[in-house]
Amino acid sequence: MTRPKKPHRQIYRISGQTYLWLAMLIFGASSAVTRKLTEIGAQHFIDNRNPISLCNVLFVGNLCALILLILIYGRQWNKATLKQLSRKDWVSLTAVAILSGALAPGLIFQALALTGVNNVILVGRLEPPLTLALSVWLLRERVNIWEFIGAIAAFVGVILTIILQLATGTMMNMGGFGLGIGEFLTAAASVAIAASTIISKKHLSQIPLGIYSIFRTALGTVIFFFIALVLYGKDHFADVLSPFLWQWMFLYGGLIVVVGQSFWVKGLKTSTVSTASLISSFGPIVGIIAAYLILGEAPTQPQYIGGSLILGGIFLSQVGTKRQTSSSKVNSTPAQQQVETGMGFKGI
């Protein structure tokens, strides 16, 4: 007589898509969380300085991200791999690190200090259509009609978001109409990111993802640090070791940088480009909801008008992306950039 077999214990594994959705929720809330942290710091000045300044948050957050990237991709930094990189590769990596690792994050953080979070989120959607236009012009890439219409709709949405804004004290006059300084800085950051994406597509398509990510984050952090010292003075990072700053940075760095980035990397390993791109496109929606829940910042009428067109453009672009990259994996630098183009600001 044989004993009945014991049923195997069901092993539940989290899918790659679930990891990506969790990461998207974390990254989408990063702008609102960043603004909230600076407001908390403003209530606890140290010698008339905000210990949780935007520069301190960006600098410490990038250090946390760099440590995590080294733990994940450190093995790719070996002599055999590094010897295969040419001088042209290092020049291109440096240009990308300056544009997307130092300049763009610095501009976005400064924009957060001057305008609403929703404006930064929506105007930042200038990056995908600009990247698409530059890819067609400089790289001779082909795009389908869905991507083209989606890019036009998103671009018009960004323009309407900017020009329909009511005049404020932080606006500049350009071409006969007022342009908010925060919106201008966000648009400039989008141009920098788009330029770095084109450089990566043209010159860095064969660079291992780990070398690309670590080098961009490390050099970008160093360059940002020295630029901030030149612009704001040697005392600008005087509170970077403040216990008050670090007690909040453990939350920011631990949740947004470490947990968010870990989920994102783990999800990308088992997801297709189209799936990851679709999930990342929900970044603006998550960001706007987070701004309302965390900061009480409700969208204005211009943001509703422009945002509706932007979201419509994102939907149309996703239809085109789905048709082009339905089964390819996110296992290269260009693939990851394609996915992250639709995401927006990730907090680092």
Side-chain angles (χ1 to χ4, degrees):
M1 182 175 178
T2 59
R3 292 183 178 180
K5 293 183 179 180
K6 293 182 180 181
H8 292 287
R9 294 175 63 185
Q10 184 71 30
I11 299 176
Y12 295 97
R13 292 186 178 181
I14 300 177
S15 67
Q17 291 187 35
T18 303
Y19 278 117
L20 290 180
W21 278 113
L22 291 173
M24 176 48 49
L25 292 175
I26 294 172
F27 290 149
S30 61
S31 294
V33 172
T34 300
R35 170 67 70 80
K36 188 64 177 180
L37 288 177
T38 60
E39 292 178 356
I40 293 173
Q43 299 172 2
H44 299 81
F45 269 39
I46 299 177
D47 295 332
N48 293 322
R49 296 188 306 267
N50 185 344
I52 315 182
S53 67
L54 290 168
C55 286
N56 283 343
V57 173
L58 177 58
F59 180 68
V60 177
N62 277 1
L63 290 180
C64 295
L66 179 59
I67 294 172
L68 178 65
L69 290 173
I70 292 175
L71 292 175
I72 296 174
Y73 296 117
R75 293 182 180 179
Q76 295 186 12
W77 280 75
N78 54 71
K79 290 184 178 180
T81 304
L82 294 177
K83 284 183 179 180
Q84 297 177 3
L85 302 183
S86 64
R87 179 179 298 179
K88 187 177 182 180
D89 292 332
W90 287 112
V91 171
S92 299
L93 280 169
T94 301
V96 168
I98 294 173
L99 290 170
S100 65
L103 182 59
L107 290 172
I108 291 174
F109 268 71
Q110 187 62 34
L112 285 170
L114 298 173
T115 189
V117 171
N118 288 335
N119 278 338
V120 174
I121 293 172
L122 294 177
V123 177
R125 295 301 79 217
L126 179 64
E127 176 201 343
L130 184 58
T131 300
L132 186 68
L134 291 175
S135 297
V136 173
W137 178 35
L138 299 176
L139 304 181
R140 299 293 187 267
E141 289 187 0
R142 288 188 173 185
V143 297
N144 57 47
I145 188 64
W146 295 101
E147 290 178 300
F148 176 76
I149 297 176
I152 294 297
F155 180 78
V156 172
V158 171
I159 298 301
L160 289 178
T161 301
I162 294 175
I163 65 176
L164 294 179
Q165 297 281 343
L166 296 176
T168 64
T170 58
M171 299 193 79
M172 51 193 292
N173 187 18
M174 291 188 65
F177 65 90
L179 175 63
I181 297 177
E183 289 80 357
F184 174 78
L185 294 178
T186 305
S190 299
V191 173
I193 296 174
S196 74
T197 301
I198 298 302
I199 294 173
S200 298
K201 283 185 175 182
K202 188 172 181 62
H203 301 294
L204 302 177
S205 60
Q206 303 302 318
I207 301 297
L209 189 58
I211 292 179
Y212 169 86
S213 300
I214 292 175
F215 185 85
R216 180 184 65 173
T217 304
L219 184 59
T221 302
V222 172
I223 292 175
F224 169 78
F225 177 79
F226 285 106
I227 289 177
L229 288 181
V230 172
L231 293 178
Y232 302 113
K234 62 180 181 179
D235 296 329
H236 191 62
F237 291 102
D239 302 312
V240 76
L241 298 179
S242 165
F244 183 76
L245 167 66
W246 278 94
Q247 78 179 37
W248 286 102
M249 286 311 300
F250 277 125
L251 170 65
Y252 183 90
L255 179 61
I256 292 181
V257 178
V258 176
V259 177
Q261 193 74 8
S262 297
F263 283 174
W264 185 249
V265 171
K266 192 170 184 64
L268 289 180
K269 289 181 179 179
T270 57
S271 301
T272 63
V273 172
S274 60
T275 298
S277 181
L278 175 62
I279 293 174
S280 70
S281 68
F282 281 83
I285 300 176
V286 175
I288 292 173
I289 295 174
Y292 178 74
L293 295 178
I294 297 174
L295 302 171
E297 184 178 316
T300 62
Q301 185 176 2
Q303 291 169 350
Y304 274 121
I305 296 173
S308 298
L309 278 172
I310 292 171
L311 294 178
I314 291 174
F315 172 76
L316 293 175
S317 296
Q318 287 305 314
V319 173
T321 301
K322 183 71 175 178
R323 295 190 173 193
Q324 285 189 337
T325 56
S326 59
S327 60
S328 56
K329 295 290 184 179
V330 190
N331 54 10
S332 66
T333 298
Q336 181 173 354
Q337 285 193 324
Q338 178 181 344
V339 170
E340 294 186 353
T341 294
M343 183 188 305
F345 179 59
K346 292 168 54 182
I348 55 175

